[in-house]
Amino acid sequence: MNPLNLTAGELHQHIELKVVEQRVQASFCNPEKGCSLVKPETLGLPAGQMPIDRLTGTPIYVSEFIIFPDRTAIDSPGFESVAGDMTAGDRVRYRASGHLSFWNPDSPQWTLAPEGIQIRLAGGLDLQPNQDCGQVFCIPKAVEGFTIFSRHGVSSATSLIVGEVRTDGSLHTHLDWIIESNQGTPNAPIGAYMVELQLITDSYPVPSDSLWIMFNNGLPLQVFQQAVAERVLQSSTDTVLADKLFSWAESNYPSLFPNAATSFIALGYYARCYQNGACVGVKDNHIFAVGGEFGTSIVTLGDFNVLATQAGL
C-alpha cells in the first residue's frame, strides 16, 4: 500500500525495552543503539526535554497515522531491545487500559474521543487449548487478535503478544494501529489521540509502568505540537478546581464520599479515595468514579468543567 498523505513529517520512533529488577522497563530509545527517536525539538519542546506528562510523569511516545487507499493506519512506534537485555524465547505482551483520549484543534483541550471513533491495535494471536471438539487432537482456538480503544475504555482482547525475544536476547517488532469509526470506515476527526499500555513478558508478569502513545491524525506539525505541549509543558488538569469539586461532593453527598481524603495521582488520574472504597478522579476533562456505590467498573460521571460550573465553582 502506498500512503496518500503525510501531514506532520516523520514521527517514527522505537520504545526501548529491557528487564530491570524482574519486570519490563520501557524507555525512550538511545539512537546510538541503532533505534529511532523523535527529537524534543520536533515536538516543539526545549532541547533535552523528553515528552513526559507534567501532571502524572507518564512518558509519551508519539506517532502519526498515514492515509492509505483502504484505511488510516501506522505501524509505529516499534519495540526494540538490544542483545542481552531480554530473555531468549520470552514473549513480550502488552496490557491495554484506560480510554481513548482526544485533542480537538477547534476547542484545544484533552478530552474523551468522539462517540463511535476507535483505535484498533493488532496484537499477536495466542492459541488456547480446545478440548470440546470430541477428537483426540483438537485444533486450538485463536484469541481475538485486536484490541479496541474507545471513549468507553478497552474492549475485545485487552492483552496480546508484542513479539518473541530472539536467541541473543534482542527484540525488534512493530504492531499495526488503525483509526476508524466503529463501523470500520476511515473517517475519524482530525486531531491528536492517545492510548495507554503496560508491558509484561511470560517470564516477568509484573506490569511495567504505564506509557502513553499519542497519535497525530491529520494535524499540521505545529498544531500537533500544541497537543503535546498541553500534556508536557502544563498540567492537563486544573488540580485546584478538582480539589474544590471533590470537597463540594464530600459536603453535598457524604454517603457517597464519606470522610474527607487527600488527593493523589495514580493511573493518570488526579483522584481521591474514601473509606467506603469509592474513588473519584479527573482525567481528560471528565470525572470518573469506581468502588463503593459506583461498583467495580469505572463509570463516567460527566464533563469536569460542566460539573464544576453546576456546583457553582
Side-chain angles (χ1 to χ4, degrees):
M1 295 185 296
N2 294 318
L4 300 181
N5 185 35
L6 186 62
T7 57
E10 182 64 25
L11 294 179
H12 174 73
Q13 67 176 329
H14 293 101
I15 300 173
E16 186 173 334
L17 305 181
K18 63 176 65 175
V19 173
V20 178
E21 296 182 350
Q22 306 297 304
R23 66 194 291 239
V24 178
Q25 180 185 86
S27 60
F28 296 101
C29 80
N30 183 350
E32 294 179 357
K33 297 180 180 180
C35 57
S36 300
L37 175 70
V38 177
K39 294 181 178 180
E41 299 91 326
T42 302
L43 301 175
L45 301 175
Q49 180 170 353
M50 302 309 295
I52 296 174
D53 183 71
R54 186 178 182 89
L55 177 65
T56 66
T58 306
I60 301 171
Y61 301 89
V62 297
S63 183
E64 62 185 336
F65 287 111
I66 298 174
I67 300 175
F68 294 95
D70 61 341
R71 70 186 66 183
T72 301
I74 193 64
D75 65 351
S76 176
F79 297 86
E80 181 94 7
S81 298
V82 299
D85 276 351
M86 306 286 284
T87 301
D90 204 1
R91 282 185 171 180
V92 180
R93 303 172 185 269
Y94 66 77
R95 291 175 57 174
S97 58
H99 53 260
L100 182 57
S101 305
F102 176 61
W103 187 85
N104 185 346
D106 295 329
S107 54
Q109 67 176 1
W110 281 96
T111 184
L112 298 180
E115 190 69 54
I117 298 300
Q118 64 187 34
I119 286 181
R120 188 157 49 100
L121 170 58
L125 293 175
D126 255 332
L127 296 179
Q128 294 183 339
N130 173 17
Q131 302 302 325
D132 300 329
C133 66
Q135 305 296 322
V136 174
F137 175 77
C138 300
I139 298 175
K141 293 180 178 178
V143 174
E144 174 63 58
F146 289 99
T147 300
I148 295 174
F149 300 85
S150 73
R151 67 179 287 130
H152 301 293
V154 176
S155 58
S156 194
T158 59
S159 180
L160 288 170
I161 297 170
V162 173
E164 186 169 307
V165 180
R166 298 166 176 160
T167 56
D168 65 354
S170 66
L171 174 74
H172 182 92
T173 188
H174 292 261
L175 301 178
D176 291 327
W177 303 81
I178 303 165
I179 189 167
E180 60 192 5
S181 74
N182 55 14
Q183 302 300 312
T185 56
N187 58 348
I190 290 173
Y193 294 79
M194 194 160 66
V195 302
E196 180 176 346
L197 296 179
Q198 293 174 301
L199 296 162
I200 61 173
T201 76
D202 291 349
S203 299
Y204 301 100
V206 177
S208 71
D209 292 336
S210 294
L211 60 90
W212 291 342
I213 302 177
M214 184 188 297
F215 298 91
N216 179 23
N217 185 46
L219 295 172
L221 179 57
Q222 63 271 25
V223 180
F224 182 66
Q225 290 173 346
Q226 296 177 33
V228 174
E230 289 198 14
R231 286 287 185 178
V232 177
L233 300 182
Q234 64 189 56
S235 173
S236 58
T237 296
D238 184 339
T239 56
V240 174
L241 182 59
D243 282 334
K244 290 180 179 179
L245 183 57
F246 293 158
S247 297
W248 177 89
E250 292 162 5
S251 298
N252 288 271
Y253 300 95
S255 63
L256 294 177
F257 310 107
N259 306 104
T262 301
S263 301
F264 62 96
I265 295 170
L267 303 176
Y269 295 89
Y270 186 74
R272 286 187 186 180
C273 290
Y274 300 89
Q275 290 184 355
N276 63 349
C279 293
V280 61
V282 183
K283 186 178 182 182
D284 289 329
N285 200 41
H286 281 72
I287 299 286
F288 301 87
V290 67
E293 297 293 327
F294 300 102
T296 57
S297 298
I298 297 175
V299 296
T300 305
L301 300 184
D303 183 285
F304 174 45
N305 291 332
V306 171
L307 291 175
T309 299
Q310 291 175 347
L313 303 176

